[in-house]
Amino acid sequence: MRPTRQRSWFTRFTKGTAHFTGRPMAFQLAVMVVVVWAITGPLFAFSDTWQLVINTGTTVVTFLMVFLIQATQNRDAEATQVKLDEIIRAIGNAKNELLDLEELEERDLDKIRESYQAIAREARVSIRDGEPAPRP
């Protein structure tokens, strides 16, 4: 199913940037920039300005990439969560109350995780003892 709504310029930009920067060619380009910068060191007598160029460039790129990567990860995490919610909803005997776990507080998540860990321990004991695993 394709999205019915036109994607925003920011979504298109972040997806495109993430796609480009995740390719080997982008890494090769970054390595080339560093190599050219290093080669020009003797030309500029390894001056403070020469060092400032690479420091400023890498800082700006890193700063911007943090936001682009976070936007892409947020969108991907939301899409994954919706897909998982649909799987839980579609399974007949699934616990639908687990659909919005990401909205709970940490202590509530810990309690639920502990209950599932107890179920897993019981299942392992049953398997070790040669009995069928109990169903929750």
Side-chain angles (χ1 to χ4, degrees):
M1 175 165 73
R2 303 293 304 166
T4 57
R5 202 171 72 103
Q6 188 71 13
R7 292 182 291 179
S8 71
W9 70 269
F10 186 70
T11 299
R12 288 191 311 273
F13 179 71
T14 56
K15 284 182 70 91
T17 304
H19 181 74
F20 172 75
T21 57
R23 296 203 161 288
M25 186 175 75
F27 178 75
Q28 292 167 352
L29 178 64
V31 168
M32 293 275 291
V33 167
V34 172
V35 167
V36 167
W37 171 79
I39 290 172
T40 61
L43 180 66
F44 293 102
F46 301 102
S47 68
D48 289 344
T49 303
W50 172 79
Q51 292 179 29
L52 187 62
V53 166
I54 197 71
N55 289 341
T56 303
T58 56
T59 300
V60 168
V61 168
T62 301
F63 179 76
L64 295 175
M65 286 303 293
V66 164
F67 293 102
L68 292 174
I69 291 168
Q70 188 62 52
T72 302
Q73 286 182 335
N74 288 349
R75 189 176 43 259
D76 288 348
E78 286 287 325
T80 300
Q81 190 61 52
V82 169
K83 291 173 185 179
L84 289 171
D85 288 348
E86 175 58 16
I87 291 169
I88 292 170
R89 188 201 59 77
I91 296 174
N93 59 352
K95 295 181 179 181
N96 287 336
E97 62 270 17
L98 299 179
L99 285 171
D100 65 348
L101 284 180
E102 67 277 4
E103 303 298 329
L104 295 178
E105 296 293 329
E106 194 72 29
R107 67 180 183 281
D108 297 325
L109 285 173
D110 289 342
K111 288 178 187 175
I112 294 170
R113 182 178 40 80
E114 288 168 8
S115 71
Y116 277 97
Q117 287 174 334
I119 293 169
R121 279 191 300 274
E122 290 174 22
R124 282 192 293 276
V125 168
S126 296
I127 290 171
R128 186 183 63 218
D129 295 341
E131 303 169 10
R135 297 289 297 171

